[in-house]
Amino acid sequence: MALTDEQPAAHRPDATPYGHGLRLDRWDPDAEAHVEAWLRSRSDPDFRRWNTPLTQVTDLAGARASLAGLRKQAADGTCAPFRITDAQSGTTLGHVGVNMIDRTFRTARVGYWVLAEARGRRVATHALALAADWAFAELGLYRLELGHALGHEASCRIAQTCGFRYEGTLRGAMFEAGRRDAFRDVHLHARLATDPSPDLVAPSAPAPV
């Protein structure tokens, strides 16, 4: 049975999270369409403005290697990368990852991006909510952290709408856009397994700068 926006996501261990018209699937470095979408995301000016990956991806070979690295980390249990897809068509819309998984302290860091053509449809909001619920239910995590560059108000709204409370500003905690020799401040958000489930109907106001 297909889920409606009002129904909860599936949490069976053998199932991928789904709901709100989305399905969180796996990236496949052997699938050309996945590789092309990954490369396109890394070439997007908006992605580059707010993210500075440790390894630059500039061609299909680099994108394929990047996805192969993600698959290895997933196999090691240190991250859970998901391809955000349209539940009906299977079209790639973006990415959400549960990263830096620490089983001892039951923590992880989450991150996400959405392809340009899928923006403005609350894809990131719903995908983040699905991934967070999955991480609490299936991985048994207790605390999920989310950091974004200071000034990224859209990401701030998404975080708070999904129940990730603003906890403070980390000074110089990430690279400036496109640089390795300068740093910028980061807003830290977090959600606990014991926090109430968020209301995804009305977006929250951004955290104070």
Side-chain angles (χ1 to χ4, degrees):
M1 179 179 69
L3 293 182
T4 67
D5 284 353
E6 291 73 33
Q7 292 173 305
H11 292 304
R12 300 190 310 275
D14 61 341
T16 57
Y18 66 96
H20 309 293
L22 304 177
R23 182 177 294 274
L24 304 188
D25 210 339
R26 302 295 180 178
W27 289 98
D28 182 359
D30 298 320
E32 290 302 318
H34 295 196
V35 173
E36 291 170 0
W38 192 262
L39 174 60
R40 195 151 54 86
S41 75
R42 291 302 189 270
S43 305
D44 181 76
D46 197 60
F47 176 88
R48 289 174 176 258
R49 178 184 178 189
W50 300 115
N51 302 275
T52 307
L54 293 177
T55 302
Q56 292 293 332
V57 173
T58 59
D59 54 27
L60 290 173
R64 186 173 292 104
S66 180
L67 287 180
L70 271 186
R71 183 164 64 179
K72 182 178 185 301
Q73 292 177 51
D76 292 342
T78 55
C79 80
F82 289 108
R83 183 173 63 98
I84 306 170
T85 72
D86 180 277
Q88 291 188 336
S89 68
T91 301
T92 300
L93 304 177
H95 166 84
V96 61
V98 182
N99 310 310
M100 300 172 63
I101 297 170
D102 187 323
R103 298 284 186 166
T104 301
F105 291 99
R106 295 168 61 191
T107 62
R109 297 291 297 268
V110 293
Y112 48 85
W113 51 258
V114 175
L115 291 170
E117 65 270 20
R119 292 172 191 155
R121 294 158 45 187
R122 306 195 77 192
V123 169
T125 299
H126 290 138
L128 176 59
L130 289 172
D133 288 345
W134 177 87
F136 290 136
E138 298 301 334
L139 301 183
L141 299 182
Y142 181 72
R143 175 180 169 88
L144 295 176
E145 295 183 350
L146 185 159
H148 64 80
L150 187 67
H152 196 344
E153 294 186 0
S155 194
C156 208
R157 285 192 297 270
I158 291 167
Q160 294 202 102
T161 299
C162 290
F164 286 76
R165 299 181 187 178
Y166 171 69
E167 294 191 341
T169 299
L170 306 177
R171 297 178 300 153
M174 71 181 296
F175 288 128
E176 286 281 2
R179 299 180 63 177
R180 300 289 193 282
D181 59 347
F183 298 83
R184 53 183 163 177
D185 295 346
V186 169
H187 268 187
L188 175 65
H189 298 258
R191 179 177 164 188
L192 305 182
T194 52
D195 287 339
S197 296
D199 177 6
L200 298 186
V201 175
S204 301
V209 176

